[in-house]
């Protein structure tokens, strides 16, 4: 019984991992049971079975992609002192993720945001919640830096969150569409300049 549960978990993980890679290039709505079944050498029933429906499979794929981003950027930054040091760590990790992330088509969340922003439904709601949590995390790091006196207290934290997010999305476009290898370094410099009010060159 225990072995069967472990095998089922491994099968589910394998399907989700393949789904994340495919959805990164084809989009969440381009993710089909048939394409995954063919890729994995499984039946369609075997692919959809662990999830119950295509929407539940898509939701699991989205959740995995968000988790990968969180573990690459947010989680490791929490080991750094709160305030500007942690905010710098977030920026460094974020730009590193953009430069060498796990998805063949760049930032999954950015691509999914463009795909889902005008498509109401469960997937859009899940992505909305994930992006809202990320922006709240960013805002917390900005306000912590302000409370520590590391950056000017008079600057609007929500404005800075929007600026940082916009820079990251622009860098993803520059990398993926324009093939600009300097985009991550430029994004890091501009992000640091945005939060410190300087030129972003300080380490």
């Amino acid at each position: 019984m225990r072995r069967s549960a472990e095998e089922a978990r491994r099968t589910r993980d394998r399907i989700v991992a393949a789904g994340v890679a495919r959805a990164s290039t084809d989009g969440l709505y381009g993710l089909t049971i048939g394409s995954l079944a063919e890729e994995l050498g499984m039946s369609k029933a075997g692919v959809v079975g662990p999830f119950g429906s295509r929407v539940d499979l898509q939701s699991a794929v989205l959740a995995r992609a968000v988790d990968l981003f969180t573990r690459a950027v947010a989680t490791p930054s929490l080991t750094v002192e709160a305030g500007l040091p942690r905010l710098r760590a977030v920026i460094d990790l974020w730009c590193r993720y953009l430069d060498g992330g796990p998805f063949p088509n760049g930032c999954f969340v950015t691509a999914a945001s463009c795909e889902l922003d005008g498509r109401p439904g469960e997937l859009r709601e899940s992505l909305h919640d994930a992006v809202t949590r990320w922006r709240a995390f960013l805002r917390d790091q900005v306000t912590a830096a302000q409370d520590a006196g590391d950056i000017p207290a008079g600057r609007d934290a929500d404005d800075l969150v929007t600026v940082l997010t916009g820079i990251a999305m622009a860098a993803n476009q520059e990398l993926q569409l324009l093939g600009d290898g300097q985009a991550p370094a430029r994004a890091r410099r501009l992000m640091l300049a945005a939060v410190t009010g300087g030129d972003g060159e300080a380490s």
Side-chain angles (χ1 to χ4, degrees):
M1 184 71 174
R2 186 175 301 168
R3 180 194 284 182
S4 296
E6 179 62 22
E7 288 175 352
R9 185 193 65 76
R10 285 200 300 267
T11 297
R12 189 180 192 281
D13 285 349
R14 180 169 168 247
I15 294 168
V16 171
V20 169
R22 183 168 288 273
S24 174
T25 56
D26 296 349
L28 281 164
Y29 278 93
L31 181 64
T32 67
I33 303 300
S35 62
L36 277 181
E38 182 177 356
E39 178 178 336
L40 295 169
M42 298 173 63
S43 68
K44 291 182 180 180
V47 169
V48 77
F51 307 94
S53 71
R54 178 172 174 248
V55 171
D56 288 338
L57 169 58
Q58 290 167 320
S59 294
V61 164
L62 177 58
R64 174 69 62 83
V66 170
D67 181 62
L68 289 170
F69 175 82
T70 301
R71 284 190 284 161
V73 180
T75 302
S77 74
L78 295 176
T79 63
V80 180
E81 178 188 0
L84 186 56
R86 182 179 296 170
L87 188 53
R88 285 183 180 276
V90 170
I91 289 170
D92 286 344
L93 291 161
W94 198 357
C95 293
R96 197 177 307 159
Y97 170 88
L98 290 170
D99 191 26
F103 307 116
N105 198 33
C107 178
F108 193 106
V109 173
T110 296
S113 295
C114 295
E115 179 185 7
L116 300 178
D117 61 2
R119 303 183 73 156
E122 183 179 326
L123 290 175
R124 185 183 186 280
E125 291 174 6
S126 295
L127 183 60
H128 173 278
D129 291 345
V131 171
T132 298
R133 289 194 302 272
W134 167 245
R135 290 175 68 95
F137 174 82
L138 274 182
R139 191 182 195 285
D140 287 345
Q141 308 321 310
V142 170
T143 56
Q146 290 175 323
D147 292 343
D150 294 335
I151 62 177
R155 306 186 70 189
D156 187 272
D158 290 319
D159 285 358
L160 286 175
V161 168
T162 294
V163 170
L164 294 176
T165 302
I167 292 170
M169 294 181 78
N172 190 70
Q173 182 186 67
E174 289 168 351
L175 275 168
Q176 299 302 318
L177 182 64
L178 304 180
D180 184 354
Q182 298 303 310
R186 183 184 306 112
R188 179 183 182 275
R189 175 172 53 79
L190 292 173
M191 286 181 177
L192 288 173
V195 298
T196 63
D199 60 11
E201 296 297 335
S203 61

